[in-house]
Amino acid sequence: MIIVTGGAGFIGSAVVWRLNQAGHDKILVVDHLAKSEKWKNLARLRFDDYVHKDEFLRRLERGTIPRAEAVIQLGACSSTTERDADYLMANNYAYSRTLASWCLERGVRFIYASSAATYGDGASDYVDDESMVDRLRPLNGYGYSKQRFDQWALASGAIRQMVGLKFFNVFGPNEYHKGDMASVVFKAFGQIRNTGRVQLFKSHHPDYADGQQARDFVYVKDCAEVILWLLERRTAGLFNLGTGIARTWNDLTRAVFAAMKLPPQIDYVDMPEALRGRYQYFTQATMAKLHAAGCPVTFRSLEDAVRDYVVNYLQADDPYLAPQTVPAASIRSAA
């Protein structure tokens, strides 16, 4: 049994998809579907059972969770604009700590999602050096809640028996339920389809021209590939998960236009005042540590990843990830 928390979400469902491709369907999906459209991410995947995240904690306390080979903890509040710090700490810190402790007591493999948001303004140059974690200054509550768990894992020594992944700007299929937190690729595709144009934020930093703000954009399929590789090894520690190459918003937007076979038409609009003091103008993962661990995954170029996403998903009749073969009887339950 492999447990994937947040398994109906964006990255979580991509991980379930990749596990299915690798022949795994003994999977317990943990999530909170509520009134969202996340259930559609599960509709074509194979898994053994679905459990609400609160019921899952109750089962942990009662000791009724089946023996697991691994837990992939991707369940969290992923909104970088969430202002309720108690909510963030409960979901991104306390929940992860409870689950990690359960895994450590039983020798269960534990892989969890940290975030590049822990780096704040990037003064540390995005180096995944564990000795520098306490020096990081996140720019928002989301980043702090992720950093707090990293700090606990390091201070307790638990990180020597688990893997934390600092995801950078992930985009790709199955993010459709994320609303304002969806990637600019998804948003740009919608804007182009509706108006033929894309709006990007103007720069409010003298060192960056409009649209030249840069991010390390990484395709969700590549992230799932890294996690599958980590499941099969005893590698431990805190690692960046990006491509190692920063690209601009202009690059990203032009890649979407190119995938749609349209000329680029970009308008620059003022950034909301509330975001200006908490905005990252440049992110780029340092990937030497993951490469040194032996990870063989080759990350797609921005253009190749955007083309795959646009042509094979956003422009397709069914935009959701699905294994190559999905026997209907393999899905035990999706409540």
Side-chain angles (χ1 to χ4, degrees):
M1 174 75 73
I2 296 173
I3 299 171
V4 183
T5 67
F10 171 35
I11 300 176
S13 62
V15 169
V16 175
W17 164 78
R18 186 64 187 91
L19 288 170
N20 286 172
Q21 284 195 320
H24 299 287
D25 61 6
K26 194 73 173 175
I27 300 168
L28 175 62
V29 171
V30 179
D31 213 306
H32 176 213
L33 297 178
K35 298 179 181 179
S36 75
E37 296 288 287
K38 284 195 294 184
W39 65 270
K40 293 182 179 179
N41 289 343
L42 297 176
R44 299 180 66 189
L45 303 179
R46 303 191 304 270
F47 54 96
D48 193 63
D49 204 358
Y50 166 85
V51 178
H52 187 280
K53 70 182 187 71
D54 294 339
E55 173 60 20
F56 181 69
L57 279 186
R58 288 190 286 269
R59 292 187 188 183
L60 280 182
E61 293 170 357
R62 294 196 299 263
T64 57
I65 296 296
R67 173 68 186 174
E69 173 188 345
V71 173
I72 304 170
Q73 160 64 337
L74 301 171
C77 172
S78 61
S79 173
T80 59
T81 58
E82 175 60 58
R83 304 300 295 273
D84 187 337
D86 286 330
Y87 178 76
L88 287 166
M89 291 298 285
N91 282 274
N92 297 358
Y93 170 67
Y95 197 104
S96 294
R97 182 167 171 173
T98 297
L99 189 49
S101 297
W102 183 86
C103 289
L104 290 168
E105 290 170 4
R106 291 160 178 79
V108 175
R109 181 74 162 146
F110 186 69
I111 299 172
Y112 75 92
S114 181
S115 172
T118 60
Y119 286 114
D121 63 4
S124 65
D125 295 326
Y126 305 100
V127 178
D128 44 2
D129 182 343
E130 293 167 10
S131 68
M132 297 176 63
V133 168
D134 286 338
R135 304 180 205 172
L136 302 181
R137 295 295 179 265
L139 298 177
N140 51 48
Y142 165 76
Y144 173 71
S145 67
K146 289 292 190 176
Q147 183 196 24
R148 190 67 195 93
F149 183 76
D150 291 343
Q151 289 176 312
W152 173 80
L154 288 163
S156 67
I159 198 65
R160 301 276 68 83
Q161 301 175 63
M162 63 177 67
V163 172
L165 295 172
K166 294 199 174 198
F167 289 96
F168 278 66
N169 282 69
V170 187
F171 69 95
N174 289 19
E175 63 170 320
Y176 318 122
H177 63 282
K178 291 177 66 67
D180 286 345
M181 291 297 108
S183 74
V184 171
V185 178
F186 178 68
K187 293 177 180 177
F189 176 82
Q191 290 180 30
I192 296 167
R193 183 181 54 192
N194 294 333
T195 70
R197 309 183 70 84
V198 169
Q199 290 188 337
L200 294 178
F201 286 142
K202 291 179 180 177
S203 173
H204 295 271
H205 191 295
D207 294 340
Y208 295 87
D210 292 341
Q212 292 300 112
Q213 307 96 313
R215 295 283 187 280
D216 191 329
F217 302 107
V218 59
Y219 201 32
V220 71
K221 289 184 178 182
D222 295 338
C223 294
E225 195 71 31
V226 170
I227 290 172
L228 181 68
W229 180 81
L230 286 166
L231 273 176
E232 298 169 349
R233 283 152 185 83
R234 302 310 299 178
T235 302
L238 192 58
F239 297 89
N240 283 338
L241 185 41
T243 65
I245 301 172
R247 300 292 299 276
T248 69
W249 292 115
N250 286 335
D251 292 336
L252 184 79
T253 304
R254 288 170 185 148
V256 179
F257 276 107
M260 298 176 73
K261 301 186 185 310
L262 293 170
Q265 301 289 337
I266 304 173
D267 301 316
Y268 301 100
V269 299
D270 285 329
M271 185 184 301
E273 289 279 355
L275 289 180
R276 294 183 192 180
R278 297 182 285 118
Y279 186 80
Q280 291 175 304
Y281 276 83
F282 179 90
T283 68
Q284 179 173 281
T286 300
M287 296 299 295
K289 189 174 177 183
L290 190 63
H291 295 322
C295 183
V297 175
T298 299
F299 293 93
R300 292 167 174 84
S301 70
L302 177 65
E303 288 75 14
D304 287 347
V306 168
R307 186 181 306 109
D308 181 63
Y309 185 20
V310 170
V311 174
N312 296 320
Y313 297 94
L314 295 179
Q315 291 181 328
D317 291 336
D318 185 345
Y320 292 91
L321 289 167
Q324 292 176 344
T325 57
V326 189
S330 292
I331 300 180
R332 311 290 196 272
S333 66

